[in-house]
Amino acid sequence: MVCALLLGTSVKAQDHAPAQVKIQVDPETIIAHISPNFIGLGYETAAVAQSNFFTPRNATMVRLYRNLSTNGLIRIGGIISDHTKYIPDGEPMGRSQSHTTIINRDNLVELGGFARASGWKVMWGLNLGTGFKEEAAQEALAVNAALGSGLQSFEIGNEVEALRRFNTRYDAYHAAYLDYKAAIRAALPDAPFSGPDSIGNLRWITNFASTESADVKLLTIHYYRGGAGDPKSTLEKLLADDEGLENRLNAMRAVSREHNLPFRINEVNSFSGGGKPGVSDTFGSALWCLDFMFRLASYECDGVNMETDVNQLGFVSHYSPIIHDSAGHCSVRPEYYGMLAFSTAANGDMVRVDVDNAGVNLTAYATKNERGFLCLTLVNKDFSRDAVVRVILPGEFATGDVFRLLAPSMESKDRVTFAGTEVSEDGKWAGDPRENLTVSSGAASLIIPHASAAVVCLRP
């Protein structure tokens, strides 16, 4: 059976015949477990200084978070964390990296209220670049008081290899890290830590894991596909395979296994420097995000924090999944829908999938939850070729629902839907797939148009 495309889907005329893709799912072979708090968002510390944003009264943003997860992870840090001062009764000022950002006690209390309302925990970055250990200890006490059980961990410094004070010397960085940690633990004996918050220098990560693995919750690194200012930073590049990423994930998985310590990509998005307009803010970024998150999960990554909101340069990044106006009212960009699709499918264990993609840029992932239900995610990142996908399944699966991720084109900035529905202005989303898939004799077929994706939830 070939399922018809949803009504209202806009598909360009094709230059090529649809690719005949074959997929076989083996639900008994588990390749990775997906962490319950895999989904995360990341912010520069300046975001906390904004009014009407991180507050339990921002009902729209609370809904947007809870659409994605009821127990995700917020990372507060970035470059601005190394240019931030905590002044308990100071006037809050969120500023670019050229100036000092000020946060106060009320900002932290509001953040704590938001964390409790959303159910998400917070990873908090402390100033190692331009601050002092005594200031970090005072700030850690205030963050802990405001967040309570909502605190996941502290990080000491951001992209530590690049901090000028260490002149690329790991031993100098590590000595400062230990000095800060001792000062914080003197004030807060049970303070939890993660690190090293690396750009991706494997030597620094390995050294850090070797000495700190017994006293940190996560190894943390960053990833961007490239820089926003590079003319080669195109949608085509974003949606193509990245061999460097595969090598990095292989290396991180090896370090993680050796030290029995999870790793997380705690700052990531398409192109650094706030993303590239016409690329990072298009539907193509939603497909990249969905595929990227599953790719990381398949390498046993603990999760991601998709960078969003005001960046270190002082403007709202083009790649932001969630944006807001001056009154604090939030809305979503295409990438949010990729995260929404992932949250629907990524529950439980990832299982083996064998794919013959017939030369089309299509990837496939499968998960099995504790009830034995199976979710198959198909991402067609091809710019021109549709795919007729034939899926071979074990005999116990008989029917399923198809949740499609769609937009008029790869370059679309609006009219994005998941399961036939847009996110409403007040942050609500309740998808209705309205498309069923029937499995006959252990096989099923469906069309995955170019520049689209689908989550197929199968049941006995």
Side-chain angles (χ1 to χ4, degrees):
M1 171 183 177
V2 177
C3 295
L5 301 182
L6 292 176
L7 294 177
T9 303
S10 174
V11 180
K12 296 178 181 178
Q14 298 301 292
D15 298 325
H16 307 283
Q20 303 296 314
V21 173
K22 297 179 182 178
I23 292 174
Q24 186 158 357
V25 182
D26 175 8
E28 302 307 314
T29 301
I30 296 172
I31 62 172
H33 177 72
I34 299 177
S35 168
N37 66 346
F38 189 98
I39 291 179
L41 291 166
Y43 296 82
E44 296 287 337
T45 308
V48 178
Q50 301 174 88
S51 62
N52 303 315
F53 190 56
F54 279 121
T55 167
R57 296 180 297 281
N58 192 339
T60 299
M61 193 156 103
V62 170
R63 290 190 196 101
L64 293 175
Y65 269 61
R66 291 183 70 86
N67 289 343
L68 299 177
S69 176
T70 56
N71 59 340
L73 181 63
I74 306 167
R75 182 251 185 171
I76 305 292
I79 290 175
I80 299 301
S81 67
D82 283 317
H83 300 272
T84 294
K85 286 188 177 295
Y86 168 70
I87 302 176
D89 298 312
E91 182 68 25
M93 291 185 291
R95 309 178 76 180
S96 74
Q97 67 187 47
S98 301
H99 303 87
T100 299
T101 284
I102 305 296
I103 56 170
N104 64 20
R105 184 186 297 108
D106 290 342
N107 297 146
L108 297 179
V109 169
E110 289 283 79
L111 175 64
F114 178 84
R116 286 185 287 275
S118 65
W120 290 38
K121 292 185 182 296
V122 177
M123 172 187 286
W124 184 271
L126 297 165
N127 184 346
L128 182 62
T130 62
F132 301 93
K133 63 183 180 180
E134 295 82 6
E135 295 172 329
Q138 180 191 28
E139 185 176 322
L141 277 171
V143 170
N144 182 71
L147 292 176
S149 62
L151 174 65
Q152 185 269 344
S153 65
F154 293 110
E155 288 199 304
I156 300 173
N158 171 80
E159 296 187 348
V160 292
E161 307 99 311
L163 292 178
R164 293 181 179 179
R165 62 183 291 187
F166 304 126
N167 195 27
T168 69
R169 291 174 51 230
Y170 177 81
D171 57 344
Y173 151 71
H174 190 230
Y177 174 89
L178 293 176
D179 209 22
Y180 266 61
K181 185 173 74 168
I184 294 164
R185 283 269 173 78
L188 190 63
D190 295 326
F193 293 94
S194 294
D197 201 83
S198 167
I199 298 170
N201 185 312
L202 185 60
R203 181 176 63 83
W204 282 52
I205 294 164
T206 301
N207 286 342
F208 186 84
S210 296
T211 58
E212 300 300 319
S213 60
D215 197 25
V216 290
K217 300 184 73 171
L218 292 168
L219 289 174
T220 53
I221 63 169
H222 298 180
Y223 171 81
Y224 292 92
R225 186 67 176 92
D230 187 343
K232 296 179 181 178
S233 294
T234 62
L235 267 176
E236 286 80 4
K237 178 177 179 177
L238 184 63
L239 296 173
D241 288 342
D242 181 2
E243 184 178 344
L245 173 64
E246 304 297 324
N247 293 337
R248 183 180 297 186
L249 292 175
N250 265 317
M252 289 303 302
R253 180 170 58 184
V255 174
S256 174
R257 288 176 174 178
E258 179 182 355
H259 296 281
N260 193 28
L261 179 63
F263 76 97
R264 189 176 183 98
I265 314 297
N266 74 325
E267 181 180 317
V268 57
N269 219 299
S270 52
F271 296 107
S272 62
K276 191 166 186 175
V279 177
S280 302
D281 52 359
T282 66
F283 180 62
S285 72
L287 298 178
W288 166 78
C289 179
L290 174 58
D291 180 71
F292 178 77
M293 293 173 81
F294 269 115
R295 186 70 58 92
L296 297 190
S298 72
Y299 279 87
E300 302 173 13
C301 180
D302 186 76
V304 295
N305 293 86
M306 304 303 296
E307 195 72 359
T308 191
D309 201 62
V310 175
N311 58 44
Q312 76 277 14
L313 303 175
F315 65 89
V316 175
S317 296
H318 302 289
Y319 50 54
S320 295
I322 299 173
I323 60 173
H324 70 285
D325 59 23
S326 58
H329 181 265
C330 295
S331 57
V332 301
R333 283 184 175 157
E335 191 171 277
Y336 181 87
Y337 288 88
M339 299 181 73
L340 194 60
F342 180 86
S343 72
T344 300
N347 298 295
D349 296 316
M350 290 191 72
V351 298
R352 179 173 174 172
V353 179
D354 293 316
V355 183
D356 178 359
N357 63 14
V360 70
N361 188 6
L362 181 145
T363 51
Y365 307 93
T367 60
K368 182 175 67 174
N369 67 18
E370 60 184 12
R371 299 172 62 189
F373 288 13
L374 190 69
C375 275
L376 177 65
T377 300
L378 306 164
V379 188
N380 188 346
K381 299 178 291 179
D382 209 284
F383 282 78
S384 61
R385 294 193 71 186
D386 295 347
V388 177
V389 180
R390 181 170 175 79
V391 184
I392 308 301
L393 296 159
E396 66 264 28
F397 296 101
T399 186
D401 296 316
V402 183
F403 299 75
R404 291 190 182 269
L405 179 59
L406 299 168
S409 72
M410 194 76 86
E411 296 80 13
S412 295
K413 297 184 179 182
D414 53 20
R415 296 170 59 195
V416 180
T417 61
F418 179 57
T421 307
E422 292 185 67
V423 176
S424 67
E425 289 187 1
D426 60 357
K428 295 178 181 177
W429 177 83
D432 180 0
R434 297 188 181 182
E435 183 180 354
N436 302 115
L437 183 71
T438 300
V439 181
S440 178
S441 301
S445 296
L446 71 164
I447 295 173
I448 307 296
H450 68 286
S452 78
V455 174
V456 184
C457 295
L458 296 145
R459 55 188 179 274

